[in-house]
């Protein structure tokens, strides 16, 4: 009997929320995974938002840091597909979204081109065109521009918010009081990492180029989301709405003090201003995620 060699995929950002779900999904669907990480220890245990431990299932590790593009050289050697959700989502000292989301991924793309990779799958954001004032969104889209121009077959996935970001609302609710920018009526459909991972791995198997907007199965307002968090905790809801200008002033001040933080906060502000409802997929519900978080101490 002739056995087909497994396709090899490089997962960049493999230690993150989405990355770990994607590693698991690729392995379960028969791919061999090389994980690109800065710190392999992060793959070992379950994450704070129930990210699966994947240290035992990745076939190879590649240690690299997007800040130092030379450390990414040969990450794509003998790889068929590159998947990247490598991005700056939390402030890191003196590091900007441009360095990671744009230039780090660009270095990976150049390596992929030099090694004859067949396809590059990249995670940007839903509604990017409405949020180009955010440094983080701009950095994502500068990379998307490079990817489209590269000639390499690609898929760009454009998700709404992930459940790990909803974990942030949950931790405020646990403290007993949520401060929300805006009137809380904007709507969005957040998605679980495992549901999004299915979409990402489906994209690996499709031919040609694609851009895929995707959100989770349920749509909520920000108020409903926070009420659900209080309910899961069995706490009396306390939500204070702050006018958007409070966020704008905070952003203006932070801009002078801390540019990396400014990029991240400007994204949070941009997202709060608009409805973010993408085509729905998946089977996992935020209500259940909150109930599970409520069973953990904190
Ligand atoms: N979370 C959301 O709601 C959301 C919504 C839409 C789009 N996105 C985008 O989706 C992507 C993944 O999001 P996530 O929530 O899964 O983020 P995450 O948990 O913070 O994961 C980000 C990944 O990028 C890696 N990374 C960061 N800086 C790096 C560097 N200098 N060198 C190498 N790797 C680096 C992280 O490594 P470490 O573990 O070492 O930090 C981690 O593996 C991001 O690009 C984000 O902008 C997120």
């Amino acid at each position: 009997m002739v056995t087909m060699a497994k396709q090899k995929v490089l997962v960049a950002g493999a230690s993150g929320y989405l990355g770990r779900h994607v590693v698991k999904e690729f392995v379960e669907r028969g791919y061999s995974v090389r994980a690109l990480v800065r710190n392999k220890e992060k793959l070992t245990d379950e994450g704070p938002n129930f990210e699966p431990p994947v240290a035992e299932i990745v076939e190879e590790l590649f240690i690299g840091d997007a800040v130092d593009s030379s450390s990414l050289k040969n990450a794509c050697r003998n790889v068929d597909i590159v998947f990247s959700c490598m991005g700056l989502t939390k402030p890191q000292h003196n590091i900007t979204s441009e360095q990671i989301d744009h230039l780090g991924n660009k270095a990976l793309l150049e390596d992929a081109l030099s090694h004859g990779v067949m396809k590059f799958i990249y995670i940007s954001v839903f509604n990017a065109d409405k949020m180009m004032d955010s440094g983080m969104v701009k950095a994502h889209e500068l990379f998307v521009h490079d990817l489209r121009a590269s000639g390499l077959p690609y898929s760009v996935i454009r998700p709404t918010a992930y459940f790990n970001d909803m974990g942030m609302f949950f931790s405020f609710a646990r403290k007993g009081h949520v401060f929300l920018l805006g009137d809380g009526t904007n709507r969005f459909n957040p998605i679980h990492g495992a549901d999004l991972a299915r979409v990402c791995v489906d994209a690996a198997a499709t031919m040609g180029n694609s851009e895929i907007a995707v959100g989770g199965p349920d749509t909520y307002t920000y108020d409903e989301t926070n009420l659900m968090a209080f309910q899961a905790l069995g706490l009396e809801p306390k939500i204070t709405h702050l006018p958007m200008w409070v966020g704008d002033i905070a952003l203006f001040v932070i801009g002078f003090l801390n540019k990396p933080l400014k990029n991240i906060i400007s994204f949070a502000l941009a997202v709060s201003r608009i409805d973010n409802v993408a085509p729905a997929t998946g089977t996992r519900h935020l209500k259940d995620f909150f109930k599970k978080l409520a069973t953990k101490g904190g």
Side-chain angles (χ1 to χ4, degrees), residues 12-20 36-39 42 51 64-68 72 84-90 92 95 99-101 105 122-126 136 140 157-166 196 267:
S15 54
Y17 174 74
L18 177 60
R20 290 209 249 166
L36 165 54
V37 289
R38 293 188 289 185
N39 174 2
K42 279 187 141 179
E51 298 88 338
D65 189 325
V67 174
D68 170 14
L72 304 182
S84 178
C85 58
M86 182 172 75
L88 189 69
T89 61
K90 299 163 203 83
Q92 290 175 34
I95 298 178
Q99 279 172 283
I100 312 300
D101 300 22
N105 281 297
Y122 182 64
I123 302 291
S124 183
V125 296
F126 180 60
M136 184 202 278
H140 273 303
I157 319 273
R158 298 187 173 281
T160 57
Y162 310 165
F163 280 14
N164 63 328
D165 264 15
M166 301 302 101
L196 180 53
F267 176 61

Side-chain angles (χ1 to χ4, degrees), residues 10 72-82 105-120 143 145-154:
L10 176 81
L72 304 182
K73 202 166 164 46
N74 293 328
C76 303
R77 178 181 280 158
N78 298 328
V79 157
D80 300 296
I81 295 162
V82 174
N105 281 297
K106 189 173 179 186
L108 209 53
L109 173 61
E110 279 160 10
D111 196 60
L113 287 165
S114 77
H115 288 291
V117 164
M118 294 186 316
K119 179 149 192 177
F120 199 115
F143 177 69
H145 177 270
D146 293 338
L147 184 57
R148 286 185 188 131
S150 70
L152 187 60
Y154 67 84

